Amino acid sequence: MGDSLFVKVWPAIVRNEPPLIGELRRRNLAGLAGRVLEIGAGTGTNFPLYPPEVTSVVALEPAEGLRVRAERAATDGRFEVRPERLDEFTSAEPFDAAVFSLVLCSLPGPEAAVAQVRSLLRPDGELRFLEHVSAEGGMLEGLQKLVDGTFWPRLFGNCHTHRDAAGMIRSAGFTISAVEDRMLAPAWAPVPSSPLVLGRATA
Ligand SMILES: C[S@@+](CC[C@H](N)C(=O)[O-])C[C@H]1O[C@@H](n2cnc3c(N)ncnc32)[C@H](O)[C@@H]1O
């Protein structure tokens, strides 16, 4: 992956993200333990939030301009930042947990990606997810469909705002044990990436 506009702007976006996102990032990782796979780690924003019970994190980040930052954020020996895309990645050893954090929106073939993540987990392994998702009807959903078909994916690293993360996770065979819907912007504000879901699922 080359240094697209997204790779140039994403570090500034995460530096300036609203406190709600920070709170949801922390809750997405709370209580994790053992060997964890993070898909699309970006600049490694989540790294300082992993609990001490997590013994190792394999963090995939194919975009070089973000990966170098993630490598700098990997300040202790628990983190291994790898350049593979998810569809290229294999592991002989199953993971105890996997983390999606604002990434399912930009994965090509998201249904197959979720199924692959399930296959990388041990039986009863856990998936944590914090994703922005499709709105349920109204003007906002119409806007999401419009931007997804025009400029949004090109501007924001293949990001699609109209994806049903929880539905795809369920369809891949996971059992969702907790799910919480949040809005990043006030309901009246036409922000396509505003609806968020925070959840936990078991393989
Ligand atoms: C919006 S960023 C989120 C970064 C990080 N997860 C976070 O919470 O800050 C999406 C990330 O997914 C990565 N990505 C895109 N396609 C990918 C793929 N096929 N496999 C793994 N990572 C991918 C991008 O390079 C980017 O870093």
Side-chain angles (χ1 to χ4, degrees), residues 30-77:
L32 283 175
R35 186 166 181 262
V36 177
L37 173 67
E38 180 172 342
I39 299 100
T43 61
T45 311
N46 287 321
F47 291 177
L49 305 174
Y50 277 94
E53 291 76 16
V54 170
T55 50
S56 68
V57 179
V58 173
L60 305 182
E61 181 41 66
E64 190 183 355
L66 299 178
R67 190 171 61 251
V68 292
R69 290 170 186 266
E71 281 161 355
R72 285 202 293 269
T75 50
D76 70 57

Side-chain angles (χ1 to χ4, degrees), residues 1 6-7 10 14 17 21 25 38-46 60-64 66-67 83-88 99-108 113 130-132 156-159:
M1 245 183 245
F6 167 75
V7 169
W10 181 250
V14 283
E17 63 189 17
I21 295 286
R25 284 184 184 281
E38 180 172 342
I39 299 100
T43 61
T45 311
N46 287 321
L60 305 182
E61 181 41 66
E64 190 183 355
L66 299 178
R67 190 171 61 251
E84 291 103 319
R85 296 190 315 263
L86 175 62
D87 59 290
E88 298 169 323
V99 172
F100 280 141
S101 170
L102 307 174
V103 70
L104 199 46
C105 59
S106 50
L107 294 180
L130 166 62
E131 293 292 338
H132 67 81
F156 296 112
N158 197 42
C159 171

Side-chain angles (χ1 to χ4, degrees), residues 103-163:
V103 70
L104 199 46
C105 59
S106 50
L107 294 180
E111 291 87 358
V114 180
Q116 186 188 350
V117 166
R118 185 162 177 251
S119 74
L120 289 164
L121 288 171
R122 65 167 164 77
D124 286 335
E126 198 178 10
L127 173 65
R128 299 290 186 90
F129 55 98
L130 166 62
E131 293 292 338
H132 67 81
V133 293
S134 50
E136 288 172 12
M139 197 186 70
L140 190 54
E141 186 176 17
L143 181 65
Q144 289 179 328
K145 288 179 180 169
L146 178 72
V147 301
D148 280 7
T150 53
F151 66 94
W152 194 276
R154 262 178 279 164
L155 262 185
F156 296 112
N158 197 42
C159 171
H160 294 77
T161 64
H162 190 255
R163 281 188 177 173

Side-chain angles (χ1 to χ4, degrees), residues 169-183:
I169 288 165
R170 242 182 240 109
S171 299
F174 282 98
T175 304
I176 294 187
S177 54
V179 72
E180 181 178 324
D181 294 312
R182 301 294 292 264
M183 289 293 275

